[in-house]
Amino acid sequence: MEQQANKIRRRNFLKKGGITSLSLALGMPIVFGKNLPDGVTPIGLDSETIQGLPNKHPEMTILNDRPINAEAPAHLLDESITSAERFFVRNNGIPPEKSSINLEKWTLTIEGESAKTTKTFTLAELKKQFKNYTYQLTLECGGNGRKEFNPPAKGNQWSIGAVGCAAWTGVRLKDVLAEVGVKGDAVYIGYYGKDTHLSGSLEKQPISRGVPISKAMEDESLIAWAMNGEPLPYLNGYPLRLVFGGWPASCSGKWLHKIVIRNQVHDGAKMAAPSYRVPCKPVPPGSKVDNKDMCIIESMPVKSLITFPKTGATIKLNQNLPIKGHAWAGDLAVSAMQVSIDFGATWQTCALSQPANRLAWQDFSGQISFPQKGYYEIWAKATDENGEAQPMVLPGWNPKGYLNNACHRIAVKVV
Amino acid sequence: MSKNNPNSLQNKTWLKVFDSFLTTLKAIVFLIFGTLLYGIFGHHFDFNFKKNDVAQKSTRTYNSTAIEEDWDKVENGIHLQTGLVHDASFDIVRANCTACHSGKLIAQNRATREGWLQMIRWMQETQGLWELGVNEPKILDYLAEHYAPEETGRRANIDMAAVEWYILEMEED
């Protein structure tokens, strides 16, 4: 608390002193400082360094602290239902001040050119007026795995842990949309949240994406207020968010307060190319791709993670190694799960559970024996119900580094 | 309007020149004053930081205890608080690039000079980044030198340096 107060004091000092005092403190002028938009305090002195993420596991890897982006190392994701403290955080803007969130006053408004009426619901009305549902739904960041692309793709360099499958409780989006009335020309829904743009500009939205009306109308598409039976974690959208399992998690707006029913593809922030889009036709690595040739990502590709053991395990030759993990495939189910200890030359089949419900990830397990002492890599390969499997090398390069579903690998030594 | 009144145009041009001269003068005064301040108080900072040399911070996993002690310290060429390489252009990069986002976002990315330029243009076009002026080439040189891409082929090896080997305890069969 003391440190927090200090930080706030420091920040206010910078705000009051403005550009001049900041220039003094830096020992140099801020060139073009006069062009700073109103409300922007340069944090050249970076007084905002955070002290660890509230209610998140200490082993979470923090990629970025403004905006906050954090992922779980694979072994933290061993649970069938990802706990709140291990669920990744991908913020595009600054979350609303926690103290400003009033559950009694929080409302959700549904409007738009393809809405028959405009209606506003309080949280209590949403919970009471519509049937409540709980589904286990997998959310994965579209850029999960970006780190591996070559040439490198810009953005947060996610490795493998920007994914999780939690039990979300809320109401069906389609029930709420039906109450408002959807016109025949509806194409898309878009969301607006209470997070604010990094630049401090109140005119800019940090992110305002959505999904086609067909995805919005699925049973599992939720307006959710709870994760694993508890209120949503603050960094994951408290008190209200959308959840569209199997699609880039950026579709699932957080701190939700407005949904628009659109008669065109939603045109909010980060809907336009190149954000959350890939080349419509495959391109060679490193290509420049015109915005008009980039298509919106919809269902995520088949993928899996080995969550036990943690990479780096050393075992004895006479021991069998138990392995565990999860597999998921966007809108589809996973039909087979295999692992290899010889760099993909041979594969052995794992036991694979049925999903708890549609769009939930599936658990797999197996026992591995090793032929001799030495260094091994365990590679994991899931196959979806359409027969598409994970590649062993990187899939199609794309400018923004989305959709890397190359097989997960862990290192093991047998001694 | 200026067509009918060439005098006023001349006045304005003159004012502009004077204005930019004044801005430059202000910049120089700030620079000198800032350097002076650092000269006077700088050693206090150094003294405080040396006491906290024990504070270690991993670049990948977050260490919540060491942050305050790491205030503005440079270790192995890395400015710990921002995570950025510390060299002659560091202050310019810090002032212009960490106003909106964390230095960690820079440090984790890799690109050519052209690639970094594209990112800057994207931020200027969509995210409200200001004109960088004379600092732009300096910032680009800094980024291209310290955060250049490496050739990793179609897939890199598992990063052996990052693997922490441990004995997996299991019940004997």
Side-chain angles (χ1 to χ4, degrees):
Chain A
M1 283 319 283
E2 177 67 21
Q3 279 170 336
Q4 188 72 23
N6 276 337
K7 254 179 261 164
I8 289 163
R9 275 199 291 275
R10 195 150 55 224
R11 203 150 164 75
N12 284 344
F13 163 74
L14 287 176
K15 262 185 194 153
K16 279 184 198 136
I19 302 304
T20 308
S21 62
L22 189 79
S23 299
L24 291 178
L26 279 172
M28 56 179 293
I30 301 215
V31 178
F32 298 105
K34 64 179 194 297
N35 295 347
L36 276 172
D38 282 348
V40 175
T41 306
I43 50 167
L45 289 176
D46 206 346
S47 52
E48 289 274 293
T49 309
I50 50 168
Q51 303 280 312
L53 295 182
N55 304 315
K56 288 290 171 185
H57 195 284
E59 279 186 66
M60 294 289 279
T61 305
I62 301 188
L63 299 174
N64 195 349
D65 49 29
R66 185 182 164 89
I68 292 171
N69 286 272
E71 65 174 315
H75 68 277
L76 275 197
L77 295 172
D78 196 40
E79 308 157 304
S80 291
I81 299 176
T82 309
S83 52
E85 63 162 15
R86 295 161 187 230
F87 208 94
F88 75 97
V89 178
R90 196 295 184 243
N91 288 349
N92 284 263
I94 307 297
E97 287 284 339
K98 204 169 182 182
S99 58
S100 75
I101 300 172
N102 181 335
L103 294 184
E104 258 91 69
K105 290 189 179 157
W106 192 278
T107 57
L108 173 65
T109 299
I110 317 281
E111 59 183 39
E113 62 270 8
S114 292
K116 285 182 180 163
T117 56
T118 293
K119 286 199 178 177
T120 298
F121 305 91
T122 64
L123 286 177
E125 285 167 347
L126 275 179
K127 291 178 187 183
K128 211 172 129 191
Q129 215 171 316
F130 303 95
K131 192 177 173 196
N132 295 187
Y133 294 88
T134 298
Y135 292 108
Q136 292 174 32
L137 301 169
T138 307
L139 284 186
E140 180 178 16
C141 174
N144 197 22
R146 174 177 294 137
K147 187 182 180 175
E148 285 198 278
F149 278 105
N150 171 35
K154 45 184 171 276
N156 285 290
Q157 299 295 300
W158 302 103
S159 60
I160 46 180
V163 62
C165 182
W168 307 92
T169 300
V171 294
R172 284 177 173 163
L173 174 57
K174 68 173 184 180
D175 291 350
V176 179
L177 293 181
E179 173 67 22
V180 174
V182 179
K183 290 186 190 166
D185 64 352
V187 170
Y188 231 85
I189 67 100
Y191 65 75
Y192 292 90
K194 287 276 189 188
D195 44 344
T196 50
H197 196 267
L198 289 177
S199 68
S201 164
L202 295 176
E203 274 82 61
K204 282 180 184 289
Q205 291 285 332
I207 187 163
S208 168
R209 305 195 69 243
V211 295
I213 204 78
S214 56
K215 179 68 178 174
M217 292 299 189
E218 288 182 1
D219 285 353
E220 300 83 7
S221 295
L222 293 182
I223 299 169
W225 55 78
M227 175 199 263
N228 305 335
E230 300 285 335
L232 293 175
Y234 170 58
L235 292 175
N236 298 100
Y238 174 81
L240 197 65
R241 69 172 299 165
L242 287 164
V243 185
F244 297 108
W247 284 42
S250 57
C251 298
S252 301
K254 303 193 280 188
W255 307 288
L256 177 71
H257 77 102
K258 195 200 302 184
I259 293 172
V260 286
I261 310 174
R262 306 296 312 270
N263 63 5
Q264 59 170 79
V265 173
H266 182 53
D267 52 1
K270 302 208 174 176
M271 279 302 297
S275 296
Y276 301 102
R277 292 185 185 225
V278 291
C280 304
K281 297 191 181 91
V283 298
S287 303
K288 276 190 182 163
V289 184
D290 284 347
N291 282 347
K292 66 174 173 47
D293 298 322
M294 300 279 275
C295 287
I296 300 173
I297 300 166
E298 299 196 332
S299 175
M300 296 287 287
V302 63
K303 200 163 171 181
S304 59
L305 265 188
I306 302 166
T307 56
F308 183 89
K310 180 186 170 189
T311 190
T314 304
I315 63 164
K316 295 194 189 108
L317 183 58
N318 61 0
Q319 289 175 316
N320 277 340
L321 178 66
I323 59 155
K324 289 194 294 170
H326 316 289
W328 62 98
D331 279 341
L332 303 174
V334 176
S335 60
M337 186 68 217
Q338 295 169 299
V339 290
S340 174
I341 58 167
D342 52 16
F343 309 100
T346 63
W347 293 89
Q348 49 185 299
T349 300
C350 296
L352 180 69
S353 76
Q354 289 299 308
N357 48 254
R358 186 173 168 263
L359 310 180
W361 70 16
Q362 294 161 252
D363 298 337
F364 69 83
S365 60
Q367 292 276 338
I368 297 177
S369 61
F370 296 89
Q372 58 173 311
K373 292 178 181 177
Y375 170 81
Y376 294 88
E377 290 177 11
I378 303 175
W379 292 12
K381 181 174 77 169
T383 305
D384 71 24
E385 58 186 303
N386 289 346
E388 276 195 39
Q390 292 180 253
M392 285 169 267
V393 294
L394 292 189
W397 184 91
N398 61 90
K400 291 281 280 177
Y402 297 116
L403 308 183
N404 175 10
N405 68 334
C407 68
H408 182 216
R409 307 170 297 179
I410 63 167
V412 171
K413 266 184 198 167
V414 179
V415 296
Chain B
M1 70 173 181
S2 50
K3 245 184 194 169
N4 302 338
N5 195 345
N7 244 358
S8 121
L9 179 68
Q10 265 185 351
N11 274 344
K12 274 196 175 154
T13 318
W14 185 85
L15 267 174
K16 262 188 188 168
V17 170
F18 182 72
D19 189 44
S20 59
F21 171 74
L22 213 65
T23 310
T24 316
L25 196 71
K26 270 191 240 169
I28 292 167
V29 169
F30 282 155
L31 189 67
I32 293 169
F33 194 64
T35 314
L36 258 172
L37 269 182
Y38 185 78
I40 295 164
F41 295 112
H43 65 282
H44 287 293
F45 290 105
D46 287 341
F47 175 71
N48 282 335
F49 294 140
K50 273 186 189 119
K51 279 197 298 196
N52 295 317
D53 265 353
V54 280
Q56 292 285 320
K57 189 181 157 196
S58 148
T59 52
R60 295 299 298 170
T61 38
Y62 212 71
N63 187 339
S64 58
T65 57
I67 303 306
E68 208 62 21
E69 289 93 305
D70 286 343
W71 179 252
D72 229 10
K73 196 166 79 168
V74 177
E75 213 170 68
N76 299 324
I78 303 291
H79 179 256
L80 292 187
Q81 196 183 25
T82 57
L84 293 170
V85 172
H86 193 276
D87 73 1
S89 297
F90 168 76
D91 287 337
I92 296 171
V93 170
R94 186 189 199 183
N96 286 284
C97 305
T98 66
C100 285
H101 60 73
S102 162
K104 292 180 176 67
L105 186 60
I106 302 166
Q108 61 176 307
N109 272 276
R110 297 290 180 272
T112 59
R113 201 174 194 279
E114 173 60 25
W116 285 112
L117 180 63
Q118 281 174 26
M119 279 184 245
I120 286 170
R121 291 287 176 266
W122 175 78
M123 287 185 279
Q124 287 172 332
E125 281 159 21
T126 69
Q127 304 298 306
L129 173 62
W130 48 87
E131 294 297 319
L132 297 172
V134 292
N135 285 330
E136 186 171 285
K138 291 178 196 162
I139 291 170
L140 283 172
D141 287 345
Y142 171 93
L143 294 169
E145 181 187 343
H146 300 301
Y147 302 103
E150 289 164 31
E151 179 53 55
T152 55
R154 194 73 209 189
R155 194 157 198 200
N157 280 337
I158 294 180
D159 182 1
M160 282 298 122
V163 176
E164 294 167 3
W165 294 101
Y166 64 98
I167 306 288
L168 180 62
E169 301 293 348
M170 285 186 292
E171 288 176 20
E172 297 290 332
D173 290 336

